[in-house]
Amino acid sequence: MPTRILRFALEDLRARYAGSSGEGVDPRTDTAPFRAFRAALLELAARAATGEAELSMWWDGTYNGYFLAVAVDPPDALAGLDPAPACPPDDDRVAVPRADRYPLAHVEPGRAVVARDADGATFEAPFGAPSGHFGAPGMRRIP
């Protein structure tokens, strides 16, 4: 089933949210920048929601450039969402999402709640460091 998919360039996310990290924190495991981005995006989504929607995410791309993809299902529930204040998307399209995506949030008019698995854990994406990080950024399960 097609969903709205927003893709945010990793380099743009790093540039915008790098200041959210604490001094001396390992960027390979630090999820503070991701949490800052998620909070900004979910605030915008809650304001734009006209119905209930589930948001999910995954990393897309190759070592030449990664994107954090965010799927909105159903797409009509957030048709008016402009994510640019959180981070301008590199791509905004309707397509079939990846099967191996991670839960991000449940959104409804005026409200957004971070998604949790059956054990109450969330998933967060460390943005890594602008240099010295080889390979795809990962997802961390946060109990």
Side-chain angles (χ1 to χ4, degrees), residues 74-89:
D76 294 345
L78 291 177
L81 173 63
D82 174 10
C87 187

Side-chain angles (χ1 to χ4, degrees), residues 5-119:
I5 299 174
L6 304 161
R7 290 187 345 141
F8 301 93
L10 175 57
E11 293 306 318
D12 293 344
L13 292 167
R14 283 177 175 158
R16 187 170 285 232
Y17 293 100
S20 301
S21 291
E23 279 295 315
V25 178
D26 185 345
R28 295 171 297 172
T29 57
D30 182 23
T31 59
F34 170 80
R35 287 192 307 271
F37 166 69
R38 179 180 64 192
L41 181 64
L42 295 186
E43 180 181 330
L44 294 167
R47 281 193 254 152
T50 58
E52 293 188 18
E54 300 300 323
L55 275 59
S56 56
M57 63 183 172
W58 65 92
W59 285 112
D60 199 14
T62 67
Y63 62 87
N64 289 326
Y66 287 103
F67 301 88
L68 182 65
V70 174
V72 178
D73 187 30
D76 294 345
L78 291 177
L81 173 63
D82 174 10
C87 187
D90 192 66
D91 189 27
D92 185 345
R93 66 181 189 255
V94 175
V96 176
R98 284 181 36 172
D100 60 345
R101 60 193 183 269
Y102 297 87
L104 178 60
H106 173 81
V107 179
E108 55 192 57
R111 185 171 180 251
V113 179
V114 173
R116 299 189 174 277
D117 68 13
D119 296 324

